[in-house]
């Protein structure tokens, strides 16, 4: 939640009769065969299309629903989703992206510095959520290691807790003092 997705689509009437008003519905879907079982993200209305390959193109911004589970999704559009226009072929109304879109938080450490002062380690770090959805509460843990690879022999020094972190590259910086 808190981020948007821009969906661009082009609708065409390849039939030999004018099409009246209809709606195009958009979904995040884990499959391309039945996207309406996915998460509805919004729709747009088209007032009609003339016969003979008339088109209607638009780019529409939709909010990423707060209820969407973390995962990889196709973005799918269903033309005439309400069945308002009788068509000669009703089975060609679904179009999905060829690549999946990742939805969810993606946390990473942007920076980390450590100094020692007396019997304390002073750790300053910046955490970032590069994902499209806010992250809930999480901890940042600090370990003492003999190398740059996290492993079973590393010693936990301490941690700090974050109440959460918004998506879209939001950051949180803090300094933590740990007694050695």
């Amino acid at each position: 939640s808190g981020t948007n997705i821009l969906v661009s689509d082009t609708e065409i009437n390849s039939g030999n009769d004018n099409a009246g008003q209809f709606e195009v519905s958009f979904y995040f879907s884990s499959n391309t065969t039945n996207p309406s079982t996915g998460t509805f993200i919004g729709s747009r209305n088209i007032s009609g299309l003339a016969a003979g390959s008339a088109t209607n193109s638009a780019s529409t911004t939709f909010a990423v629903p707060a209820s969407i589970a973390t995962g990889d999704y196709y973005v799918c559009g269903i033309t005439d989703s309400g069945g308002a226009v009788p068509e000669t072929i009703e089975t060609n109304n679904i179009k999905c992206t060829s690549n999946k879109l990742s939805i969810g938080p993606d946390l990473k450490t942007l920076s980390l510095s450590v100094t020692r002062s007396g019997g304390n380690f002073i750790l300053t770090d910046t955490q970032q959520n590069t994902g499209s959805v806010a992250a809930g509460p999480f901890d940042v843990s600090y370990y003492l290691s003999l190398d740059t690879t996290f492993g079973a022999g590393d010693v936990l020094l301490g941690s700090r807790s974050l109440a959460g972190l918004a998506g879209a590259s939001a950051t949180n910086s803090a300094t933590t003092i740990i007694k050695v």
Side-chain angles (χ1 to χ4, degrees):
S1 61
T3 61
N4 294 320
I5 181 172
L6 179 67
V7 177
S8 298
D9 69 301
T10 299
E11 306 304 317
I12 185 168
N13 178 4
S14 55
N16 59 6
D17 197 5
N18 294 335
Q21 182 175 343
F22 62 95
E23 184 175 78
V24 182
S25 295
F26 298 94
Y27 294 84
F28 286 132
S29 178
S30 59
N31 68 75
T32 59
T33 55
N34 194 9
S36 62
T37 60
T39 301
F40 177 75
I41 58 174
S43 62
R44 74 178 187 98
N45 287 307
I46 298 175
S47 61
L49 284 175
S53 300
T55 62
N56 180 293
S57 298
S59 292
T60 311
T61 300
F62 299 108
V64 175
S67 62
I68 189 83
T70 296
D72 295 326
Y73 299 94
Y74 296 101
V75 177
C76 300
I78 302 176
T79 303
D80 191 26
S81 55
V85 178
E87 301 176 64
T88 56
I89 303 172
E90 294 282 355
T91 58
N92 62 354
N93 290 358
I94 296 173
K95 184 70 173 178
C96 298
T97 57
S98 57
N99 295 325
K100 288 185 174 182
L101 176 69
S102 294
I103 300 292
D106 186 7
L107 301 173
K108 71 178 188 177
T109 301
L110 267 183
S111 65
L112 174 65
S113 65
V114 180
T115 57
R116 187 169 182 171
S117 176
N120 295 320
F121 282 127
I122 302 168
L123 299 111
T124 302
D125 69 281
T126 300
Q127 303 302 313
Q128 183 178 41
N129 180 1
T130 60
S132 57
V133 175
F138 64 96
D139 292 330
V140 177
S141 297
Y142 308 104
Y143 287 83
L144 187 60
S145 180
L146 295 174
D147 55 31
T148 59
T149 305
F150 180 72
D154 296 343
V155 178
L156 176 65
L157 295 174
S159 62
R160 73 178 181 102
S161 296
L162 281 86
L165 193 56
S169 297
T171 61
N172 177 283
S173 298
T175 298
T176 304
I177 298 172
I178 298 174
K179 287 195 177 289
V180 184

